Amino acid sequence: RLTEQHQEINNLMQRKNAVEEKKACLKNEFSTLNQKFKDKSQEVKDTEECAQKKEEQNRLVIKNLEEENRGLNTCCADLLSDLEKLRKQEAQWKMEKSGSDAIIKNLKTDLAEAREQVKVLHSICSNLSSQIAVKQEELFQKNCDVIKAK
């Protein structure tokens, strides 16, 4: 009976050692898994922080782009307003130029008519000068005749 008990004790001791080895192995495995869990948790935390930073950066970029867009929209509105003013001014200048062109055309016509009148008057003047010369010659002859008659 004692040997059976020794045998049973040995078996229990072997089982105990096996259980303790299994326990140590499981403890190591748990420790390894726990470390992996901590590492992954830190990685997730770091990733979340990085994502939050990226999100904040993106918000700032969007805010800056929206401000820049507002500025560009204002600039575009000002340029469109300036363009409209210039178009109105151009239309006014075209009307003024059209009026000036009409005045110039009329002045050219008047000038051509005046030149024609000057030619006519010059011709009349030449004729009158010739007639005066003839009349002066006649007058001179008559004076001579009067002197001879006296």
Side-chain angles (χ1 to χ4, degrees), residues 54-112:
K54 277 287 185 190
E55 197 174 314
E56 184 60 31
Q57 286 176 345
N58 287 342
R59 274 195 291 270
L60 285 174
V61 167
I62 288 170
K63 181 181 174 188
N64 289 338
L65 288 174
E66 286 173 346
E67 287 179 19
E68 185 177 346
N69 191 34
R70 280 193 292 275
L72 290 173
N73 284 340
T74 301
C75 185
C76 283
D78 291 345
L79 288 172
L80 286 172
S81 174
D82 291 348
L83 178 62
E84 188 59 31
K85 287 176 187 174
L86 289 172
R87 283 183 176 158
K88 286 179 182 177
Q89 193 174 31
E90 177 189 25
Q92 182 182 350
W93 286 347
K94 281 183 178 179
M95 285 176 51
E96 289 174 4
K97 183 184 179 300
S98 176
S100 297
D101 288 347
I103 290 172
I104 289 171
K105 183 179 177 187
N106 290 338
L107 288 174
K108 284 182 179 179
T109 302
D110 291 349
L111 179 63

Side-chain angles (χ1 to χ4, degrees), residues 12-146:
L12 286 172
M13 287 298 279
Q14 284 177 353
R15 278 178 59 201
K16 178 188 171 202
N17 288 340
V19 167
E20 284 182 359
E21 280 180 27
K22 182 79 171 168
K23 179 183 170 187
C25 188
L26 288 172
K27 195 173 186 181
N28 279 341
E29 191 176 331
F30 175 75
S31 179
T32 303
L33 288 174
N34 198 29
Q35 187 59 45
K36 284 183 181 179
F37 174 75
K38 287 179 183 177
D39 292 346
K40 287 293 178 187
S41 293
Q42 186 62 43
E43 191 177 318
V44 167
K45 184 179 173 187
D46 293 346
T47 302
E48 286 174 348
E49 286 177 4
C50 184
Q52 285 177 347
K53 286 179 185 176
K54 277 287 185 190
E55 197 174 314
E56 184 60 31
Q57 286 176 345
N58 287 342
R59 274 195 291 270
L60 285 174
V61 167
I62 288 170
K63 181 181 174 188
N64 289 338
L65 288 174
E66 286 173 346
E67 287 179 19
E68 185 177 346
N69 191 34
R70 280 193 292 275
L72 290 173
N73 284 340
T74 301
C75 185
C76 283
D78 291 345
L79 288 172
L80 286 172
S81 174
D82 291 348
L83 178 62
E84 188 59 31
K85 287 176 187 174
L86 289 172
R87 283 183 176 158
K88 286 179 182 177
Q89 193 174 31
E90 177 189 25
Q92 182 182 350
W93 286 347
K94 281 183 178 179
M95 285 176 51
E96 289 174 4
K97 183 184 179 300
S98 176
S100 297
D101 288 347
I103 290 172
I104 289 171
K105 183 179 177 187
N106 290 338
L107 288 174
K108 284 182 179 179
T109 302
D110 291 349
L111 179 63
E113 289 174 2
R115 282 184 177 156
E116 201 54 45
Q117 285 178 355
V118 166
K119 282 182 187 177
V120 169
L121 290 174
H122 191 275
S123 174
I124 291 172
C125 219
S126 289
N127 285 339
L128 289 174
S129 291
S130 295
Q131 288 176 10
I132 287 174
V134 168
K135 292 293 180 187
Q136 281 180 337
E137 184 61 35
E138 287 176 5
L139 184 61
F140 179 72
Q141 281 300 320
K142 287 194 180 190
N143 274 339
C144 284
D145 290 344
V146 168

Side-chain angles (χ1 to χ4, degrees), residues 1-10:
R1 174 93 180 122
L2 192 58
T3 21
E4 278 180 21
Q5 284 180 347
H6 275 299
Q7 186 62 37
E8 198 176 320
I9 289 173
N10 279 342

